[in-house]
Amino acid sequence: MKNILIATILAMFALNSYAEAEKKKADYVKNKADFDKLVSEGDVAATAKKYDEAISKYEKALVINQDAAVQSKLDKAKSDRDLTLGVAEAEKKKKQ
C-alpha cells in the first residue's frame, strides 16, 4: 500500500512538473512572438522616420527581453529623432 501511495505522489509530481514546463514553454513562445513583432514594428517606424513610434516599440520590446541589438536600435532612433528636431528648430530660426 505504501508503494502505491509513493508511486501516486511521484506521478502527480511528474504531471505537475510537466504542466509547469508546458506553461513556461507557452509563455516563452508568446513573449518571443511579442518581442519579434515589436522590434519589427519599431524597424518599420524608424525607416519611415517616425522616431517616437519606433522608440516606443523598442522600449516595449526591451521590457520583454533585454537585447543589445534592440538597445542599439533604440539609441539610434533617439539620436535620429534629436537630430531631426535640431534641424527643424534650425530651419524655424532661419525663417524668423
Side-chain angles (χ1 to χ4, degrees):
M1 186 64 135
K2 185 177 178 182
N3 288 340
I4 293 173
L5 179 59
I6 292 172
T8 302
I9 291 170
L10 289 175
M12 290 173 63
F13 178 76
L15 286 174
N16 285 337
S17 294
Y18 178 77
E20 285 178 35
E22 284 296 310
K23 183 180 179 332
K24 286 181 181 181
K25 179 182 170 187
D27 289 346
Y28 172 80
V29 169
K30 182 187 179 317
N31 285 343
K32 175 78 170 114
D34 291 346
F35 174 82
D36 290 344
K37 182 177 184 231
L38 287 165
V39 173
S40 178
E41 290 171 349
D43 292 346
V44 169
T47 300
K49 300 183 187 214
K50 297 178 180 178
Y51 299 118
D52 288 332
E53 183 180 336
I55 290 165
S56 175
K57 298 294 183 177
Y58 293 144
E59 287 176 339
K60 288 176 183 175
L62 288 169
V63 168
I64 295 170
N65 180 25
Q66 289 295 317
D67 182 272
V70 176
Q71 183 64 54
S72 293
K73 291 179 180 195
L74 173 60
D75 295 341
K76 181 168 181 353
K78 286 180 176 180
S79 176
D80 290 347
R81 178 199 57 194
D82 293 346
L83 287 172
T84 300
L85 291 174
V87 169
E89 277 297 312
E91 291 295 321
K92 187 177 176 181
K93 286 182 181 179
K94 283 183 189 177
K95 292 179 181 180
Q96 291 177 349

